[in-house]
Amino acid sequence: MTTSTVGICIAGEGAMGETHAKVLAAMPGVRLTAAAVGDPVQGAAFAAKYGIPFHSTSLADCVARPDVDAVVLATPSGLHTEHALSVIGEGKPVLLEIPAALNLPDTLRLAAAQEASGVPLMVCHSRRFGAPHRLIRDRIRDGSFTLHHMVVETYFLRRTNLNMFGQPRTWVDSLLWHHACHSVDLAVWLLDEPDFVVQAQQGPDHPELGVPMDMSIVMRSPRTGVLFTMAMSFNNKGPFGGFYRYIGEEDTYRAWRDELRGSDDQIIALDAETAFDRQDRAFIDAVRNQSTPESDIHSVIPSMRLLDAIEQSIDRNQAR
């Protein structure tokens, strides 16, 4: 690191780049020093908004700057692997937006590159950092909550190619490798269970976007019998986001964003820190200490293996 202040390059001026910039700009001991952008006009506005002194359409030029100690990659999903490999190849830590890759082989390439370089490579499996899910995990581990069935609904309206802020996208989102990745990883992380039995189906592709708009996934733990059921849609009109229901022996909990409710519908008091604040702080701590971050690339491989198995299940069922 160049100074006691951690200098950060934000790569990507879209919805998630904006989210990370907002969190990190308010974090003590952190300075946004560069922005690698896709669109020069939007990028200039993004840099000005957050007081970022340098912006460029060249990621390499941003990474090479001496005032950049680490990089947050919030670029299009299909570029995540390529961009992460290039940045850790320059010896700089990376916070990589989910998904790490759009397939298992690229995920394994990233893990191998990280191991060879020793540079921290953290993936934004943000659900792990949400206070509701951390409380559920603690209760599972201390034996005060016995989970029977985890039910997830992930809903968006994506019939046109817009991001979470309603802005046009240059790339197409993935229900499986992005949105299912959040929840499949959460199940693996909660239960320390890498070997679920999986079954999945998807609906027809959108005629213009070329991606499935609806998907269902079922997983079962062969060790405990715990079920995971997930319904996802890009066709949903109504509240958007991920809705989590934990059905257990002792109670049923419902989580949405940073809120948790019990079966009596009462809000359960939680740590006030948001998932994004906790996640990005964990990355900055790893950069300062050159330590292994909580959701490093190696820790997400079991989840990516399950996504690969789910994709194979979909392909088998589509062929029938």
Side-chain angles (χ1 to χ4, degrees):
M1 286 175 44
T2 54
T3 67
S4 59
T5 297
V6 180
I8 297 290
C9 167
I10 301 280
E13 71 273 27
M16 294 315 302
E18 181 93 14
T19 299
H20 288 290
K22 183 177 180 180
V23 169
L24 291 168
M27 193 173 292
V30 176
R31 183 174 177 233
L32 303 182
T33 54
V37 300
D39 181 273
V41 175
Q42 293 181 11
F46 174 76
K49 180 177 180 178
Y50 291 100
I52 302 173
F54 178 83
H55 69 277
S56 172
T57 56
S58 169
L59 176 60
D61 287 351
C62 291
V63 173
R65 290 176 59 87
D67 60 357
V68 168
D69 298 304
V71 179
V72 176
L73 286 174
T75 51
S77 293
L79 298 175
H80 285 183
T81 301
E82 172 191 337
H83 285 169
L85 288 172
S86 68
V87 176
I88 63 175
E90 294 299 318
K92 296 196 175 179
V94 172
L95 177 60
L96 179 60
E97 254 306 325
I98 196 170
L102 293 174
N103 56 65
L104 178 59
D106 281 346
T107 306
L108 298 176
R109 287 175 60 209
L110 284 172
Q114 187 286 322
E115 188 169 12
S117 69
V119 176
L121 173 53
M122 177 175 172
V123 189
C124 292
H125 284 231
S126 308
R127 299 293 181 272
R128 297 186 185 190
F129 296 90
H133 308 298
R134 292 173 86 84
L135 177 62
I136 294 295
R137 190 186 194 219
D138 288 345
R139 292 188 176 180
I140 290 172
R141 289 189 162 193
D142 69 19
S144 62
F145 180 63
T146 306
L147 181 65
H148 293 316
H149 196 170
M150 176 179 169
V151 181
V152 183
E153 297 169 300
T154 300
Y155 294 144
F156 295 94
L157 185 62
R158 292 278 170 81
R159 292 175 181 169
T160 53
N161 201 22
L162 303 176
N163 67 18
M164 61 188 283
F165 295 154
Q167 301 162 333
R169 262 198 176 122
T170 59
W171 53 282
V172 180
D173 205 359
S174 168
L175 271 177
L176 178 61
W177 288 97
H178 177 190
H179 296 286
C181 189
H182 276 297
S183 299
V184 168
D185 179 74
L186 183 58
V188 172
W189 176 78
L190 280 167
L191 298 174
D192 290 323
E193 175 61 83
D195 297 319
F196 286 92
V197 178
V198 305
Q199 184 64 252
Q201 297 273 8
Q202 70 181 29
D205 288 351
H206 188 278
E208 296 175 4
L209 300 177
V211 296
M213 300 292 283
D214 292 274
M215 189 174 293
S216 63
I217 297 170
V218 177
M219 307 196 308
R220 176 181 59 82
S221 165
R223 178 171 56 88
T224 64
V226 171
L227 290 178
F228 167 98
T229 301
M230 186 173 185
M232 295 183 289
S233 182
F234 280 163
N235 279 314
N236 182 72
K237 294 181 179 179
F240 302 150
F243 302 84
Y244 296 84
R245 183 180 293 267
Y246 294 106
I247 301 170
E249 181 69 21
E250 297 80 8
D251 205 346
T252 294
Y253 298 102
R254 290 177 292 121
W256 184 61
R257 296 185 178 173
D258 293 299
E259 179 183 281
L260 184 68
R261 292 176 182 263
S263 56
D264 57 3
D265 204 39
Q266 293 298 307
I267 294 177
I268 296 171
L270 298 169
D271 182 340
E273 189 173 33
T274 71
F276 289 116
D277 286 336
R278 186 178 287 108
Q279 170 189 266
D280 287 16
R281 178 170 52 79
F283 175 63
I284 296 300
D285 288 346
V287 172
R288 288 189 184 281
N289 301 323
Q290 285 293 293
S291 59
T292 301
E294 187 171 336
S295 59
D296 82 300
I297 184 64
H298 301 280
S299 77
V300 308
I301 288 175
S303 302
M304 301 300 271
R305 290 191 188 281
L306 280 173
L307 290 178
D308 183 68
I310 291 166
E311 187 171 66
Q312 292 179 46
S313 174
I314 289 171
D315 290 344
R316 287 193 300 270
N317 289 325
Q318 291 292 105
R320 292 181 181 177

